[in-house]
Amino acid sequence: MATAGVVANGPNNEEKQAVGIDGPTNPMVTPLLNDLYQFTMAYAYWKGGKHNERAVFDLYFRRNPFGGEYTVFAGLEECIRFIANFRFTEDEIAFVQASLPPSCEIGFYDYLRGIDCSDVEIHAISEGFVVFPKIPLMRVEGPVAVVQLLETPLVNLINYASLVATNAARHRFVAGKSKLLLEFGLRRAQGPDGGIGASKYCYMGGFDATSNVAAGKLFGIPLRGTHSHAFVSSFMSPDEITEKSLKSSDSSNICEDFVSLVQAWLSKLKFGTSYEALDVLDVYHLLEKESEWSQLLGGIFGETNQSELAAFASYALAFPKNFLALVDTYDVMRSGVPNFCAVALALNDLGYKALGIRLDSGDLAYQSCETRKFFQAIEKEFGVADFGRTNITASNDLNEETLDALNKQGHEIDAFGIGTHLVTCYAQPALGVVFKLVEINNQPRIKLSEDVSKVSIPCKKRCYRLYGKEGYPLVDIMTGENEPSPKVGERILCRHPFNESKRAYVVPKRVEELLKCFWPGRSGNVFVSSAAPMTELNPYQVHFLCASDILYLGVHKFMQPVSDGKEREELPPIKLIRERCINQLNLMRPDHMRRLNPTPYKVSVSAKLYDFIHFLWLNEAPVGELQ
């Protein structure tokens, strides 16, 4: 254990123990979670003697999802877990050998046995940050064959994680900060891994809890859930309840027949507070009182469904401190809500407070408003403190549009249970993350396309976020690695990478560097080759290129360490990442966040990097010939 840099990597067991980084959550995330062409390229690199050439790749996306103008970066921890434990087993090597053509030399498989990520260096934006197109989410540097084998797993781990975290953040934005958001998507998710990942990243994106018990165990996410319609419809009558006794919350007394107490409260709900004082033979006054109380409650119920009442009472006996009822099995206002209230008031007599109801069908805005009126009338009539504020939860295939519509209609819902549209990312199935080579052997590389949005930004870069005087982020800017960092109060020219006319000066009040080292490789032990080829420059090119630009082109006079003993950023717990995400979203200007016609956030490059991009573009693009 010679250096701290070695300790921070650890491909073998001793080093893994030193790092203390567990493997990926999903055991299927192995070096074989890969596309076949990664192995064919790795063999071709090895066969041609290129496999150890130092390469730099950028992982980024080209377009924000869901028609919005921001994305939440997620999945980094799983990537670092994968990299920290990257190593082929004998069984995996045997399968690769069986899958490649028999002409492949046996030495390649010996090479696979020896590789790990100890020569790989990862710089990334912190997980939970708000991010934008073209800005590298991760910069992966290392031997080209090894990094090529990382491409597919890293893209896979980032793509869905960032997509569903963004979807969760968008739902949170529409619902508002005060509402409780519950992720209910496990049964509709794309398989077990989709369900687990959705729960994790929805929580990271701003949801408060999940119904997914496995995710609760794995990640410490709060759990929420009650019962289904099946539980309610499984009861036929209150006579089925055999154990009817319930201790008070302070254990000072026992109610021997809780069901009778519930039924007594249901009768009170029909007539109000004067029910017990009335002579049952005084039919006139009884009917008069019932009419008054019925008008107060809007005349909404008569005889409720007794099997539903039995189900509620039974559930309350099982969970007196956590009673929340699904009230739409038969009829929300004529049965479900009155039955819930009868049980909740019986629990109140024993010192318990019911949690609330869940609406799962029908006109959610109307039902929530009517239910709130019912709760408030009961608080006023019977003097039950805070009963009018009893929680109302809504579910039923909710999405951004329905949340927005509910807000416009007006509603009394306190919590939303959201499933299918959230976890499946129904509005957009993929983020479109890409992994592009930007430098090899210190030579910048560019990927050209007739579609300008697909042109890559070459070179090893640094990325900064510039903040304005009001505290909002103004622009993200990419610079060459060796350019001076932007400084507070300094006038900086920010240019669109490809559009010559789009440019602006910015005088930042705060500058934040985005890319941090999460996996340092053998820091300080890897050197740039002094034999890097010299690129010929004509006098015009030399005129506008500065020293840092020349370094882009691979002109090196001295041996230089690629890294200088970088410290590895710690991976925070998910609760801290969630807080970071919420804080990041709160920092954004409202017009960037709105659902309809959001203002695009500006992503730029420095003037020097802009000049170099276009020089390289012209240098690499073939010149046509007209005949």
Side-chain angles (χ1 to χ4, degrees):
M1 209 173 291
T3 67
V6 174
V7 172
N9 286 306
N12 59 39
N13 290 335
E14 290 181 4
E15 290 172 343
K16 282 181 185 177
Q17 191 173 4
V19 178
I21 297 178
D22 295 330
T25 302
N26 186 343
M28 292 181 68
V29 181
T30 71
L32 289 193
L33 186 70
N34 231 319
D35 293 306
L36 179 62
Y37 81 160
Q38 308 292 9
F39 289 99
T40 60
M41 283 190 289
Y43 177 76
Y45 285 135
W46 178 84
K47 178 72 173 171
K50 285 177 60 70
H51 55 292
N52 284 326
E53 292 185 3
R54 195 82 181 165
V56 181
F57 285 78
D58 283 349
L59 183 150
Y60 61 94
F61 61 96
R62 298 188 177 114
R63 196 172 289 110
N64 286 305
F66 309 116
E69 287 297 339
Y70 68 93
T71 300
V72 173
F73 177 42
L76 176 62
E77 179 187 0
E78 293 296 327
C79 291
I80 301 302
R81 285 173 171 235
F82 171 67
I83 288 165
N85 295 274
F86 182 89
R87 201 167 183 83
F88 285 94
T89 65
E90 285 300 320
D91 183 60
E92 289 168 343
I93 291 172
F95 184 79
V96 172
Q97 186 171 359
S99 302
L100 292 179
S103 59
C104 291
E105 297 177 22
I106 199 72
F108 174 66
Y109 306 107
D110 291 331
Y111 163 73
L112 291 182
R113 285 183 180 90
I115 64 173
D116 52 56
C117 288
S118 58
D119 282 339
V120 173
E121 190 172 326
I122 304 288
H123 286 73
I125 296 175
S126 297
E127 192 162 9
F129 260 52
V130 173
V131 292
F132 303 98
K134 291 290 186 184
I135 296 291
L137 307 179
M138 297 176 67
R139 188 180 75 209
V140 186
E141 181 178 358
V144 64
V146 175
V147 176
Q148 202 76 72
L149 290 170
L150 298 177
E151 174 182 355
T152 299
L154 296 183
V155 170
N156 179 272
L157 290 169
I158 295 298
N159 202 333
Y160 176 69
S162 298
L163 185 72
V164 75
T166 306
N167 204 16
R170 291 177 62 84
H171 280 77
R172 164 58 71 193
F173 182 78
V174 177
K177 296 178 183 179
S178 65
K179 303 302 180 184
L180 194 71
L181 292 186
L182 313 173
E183 179 269 308
F184 283 175
L186 177 59
R187 62 180 59 200
R188 304 285 173 79
Q190 285 98 335
D193 189 55
I196 293 291
S199 298
K200 177 180 182 180
Y201 297 116
C202 286
Y203 181 67
M204 188 181 294
F207 271 58
D208 297 290
T210 179
S211 64
N212 186 340
V213 178
K217 179 179 183 296
L218 285 169
F219 311 119
I221 302 172
L223 294 175
R224 293 291 186 275
T226 54
H227 60 78
S228 70
H229 297 104
F231 181 83
V232 177
S233 58
S234 71
F235 285 81
M236 300 297 290
S237 78
D239 296 336
E240 293 179 53
I241 303 175
T242 55
E243 179 51 58
K244 301 180 180 182
S245 65
L246 180 63
K247 281 186 180 181
S248 62
S249 63
D250 60 5
S251 300
S252 61
N253 62 79
I254 298 178
C255 174
E256 297 295 344
D257 192 345
F258 180 71
V259 175
S260 294
L261 181 60
V262 169
Q263 290 172 325
W265 267 111
L266 187 61
S267 297
K268 291 180 187 179
L269 289 175
K270 289 183 180 179
F271 308 116
T273 53
S274 302
Y275 169 72
E276 291 179 346
L278 290 172
D279 185 338
V280 293
L281 297 178
D282 192 347
V283 177
Y284 173 78
H285 288 98
L286 191 66
L287 292 175
E288 184 179 47
K289 183 62 184 176
E290 181 179 4
S291 175
E292 292 173 1
W293 180 236
S294 178
Q295 289 176 9
L296 182 61
L297 297 181
I300 60 172
F301 81 98
E303 290 299 323
T304 64
N305 186 293
Q306 291 300 293
S307 63
E308 181 183 59
L309 185 69
F312 289 176
S314 178
Y315 200 81
L317 285 164
F319 300 102
K321 295 181 179 179
N322 302 95
F323 176 59
L324 192 151
L326 177 61
V327 296
D328 69 332
T329 303
Y330 300 110
D331 188 292
V332 172
M333 301 310 301
R334 292 187 175 88
S335 182
V337 170
N339 280 339
F340 162 79
C341 291
V343 176
L345 290 166
L347 286 172
N348 182 74
D349 284 349
L350 298 174
Y352 299 103
K353 181 175 174 59
L355 296 184
I357 65 164
R358 176 161 70 95
L359 302 169
D360 192 47
S361 60
D363 187 334
L364 298 179
Y366 171 78
Q367 289 176 354
S368 69
C369 291
E370 291 302 304
T371 299
R372 183 67 67 205
K373 291 177 186 175
F374 198 115
F375 290 164
Q376 291 170 342
I378 288 173
E379 178 177 344
K380 181 179 179 182
E381 179 73 7
F382 298 105
V384 181
D386 294 328
F387 199 88
R389 292 202 290 264
T390 298
N391 186 280
I392 299 172
T393 299
S395 48
N396 187 29
D397 276 343
L398 300 177
N399 56 31
E400 275 189 70
E401 287 71 26
T402 52
L403 293 179
D404 189 48
L406 285 168
N407 289 339
K408 290 173 180 175
Q409 293 169 39
H411 66 84
E412 289 290 335
I413 299 165
D414 303 293
F416 295 98
I418 308 176
T420 305
H421 289 269
L422 175 69
V423 303
T424 63
C425 297
Y426 192 87
Q428 180 174 327
L431 178 58
V433 171
V434 295
F435 194 81
K436 296 300 180 185
L437 178 71
V438 296
E439 186 175 290
I440 189 163
N441 288 335
N442 306 294
Q443 299 295 307
R445 307 309 298 147
I446 189 170
K447 189 267 181 190
L448 300 179
S449 172
E450 292 181 4
D451 182 352
V452 175
S453 69
K454 292 190 174 183
V455 175
S456 63
I457 298 177
C459 312
K460 190 174 176 180
K461 296 173 288 292
R462 298 175 74 178
C463 305
Y464 303 89
R465 184 158 294 170
L466 309 183
Y467 292 80
K469 60 183 179 181
E470 295 180 347
Y472 295 125
L474 293 176
V475 61
D476 284 6
I477 185 170
M478 291 173 272
T479 72
E481 186 193 22
N482 298 303
E483 284 190 58
S485 302
K487 293 179 176 59
V488 172
E490 180 182 83
R491 196 164 181 249
I492 301 161
L493 178 60
C494 300
R495 302 204 64 170
H496 188 284
F498 308 119
N499 190 324
E500 185 177 12
S501 64
K502 290 186 177 181
R503 53 188 179 171
Y505 282 106
V506 175
V507 180
K509 299 299 181 184
R510 181 161 77 91
V511 176
E512 181 176 29
E513 185 159 11
L514 296 176
L515 292 175
K516 299 176 182 178
C517 183
F518 282 88
W519 189 254
R522 292 193 177 117
S523 286
N525 295 332
V526 182
F527 291 87
V528 172
S529 170
S530 61
M534 183 78 75
T535 301
E536 292 185 6
L537 302 177
N538 63 41
Y540 173 74
Q541 294 162 351
V542 173
H543 175 73
F544 75 82
L545 294 178
C546 68
S548 58
D549 297 319
I550 295 172
L551 284 178
Y552 295 156
L553 299 177
V555 182
H556 299 279
K557 295 183 179 179
F558 306 101
M559 294 280 285
Q560 301 181 44
V562 170
S563 52
D564 51 358
K566 298 181 182 71
E567 293 294 325
R568 178 170 63 84
E569 291 285 326
E570 293 299 319
L571 298 172
I574 189 171
K575 288 184 179 179
L576 292 184
I577 298 175
R578 180 177 183 271
E579 290 175 11
R580 174 192 289 157
C581 177
I582 292 170
N583 291 335
Q584 280 276 307
L585 293 165
N586 289 338
L587 277 176
M588 297 304 299
R589 220 170 59 200
D591 58 309
H592 295 311
M593 304 288 293
R594 63 192 178 207
R595 284 190 64 246
L596 297 177
N597 301 316
T599 303
Y601 182 84
K602 293 177 176 60
V603 172
S604 67
V605 296
S606 67
K608 291 177 182 177
L609 184 53
Y610 175 88
D611 288 339
F612 183 71
I613 291 168
H614 291 266
F615 159 72
L616 191 63
W617 190 334
L618 293 174
N619 196 52
E620 295 290 344
V623 179
E625 183 174 325
L626 301 178
Q627 296 184 8

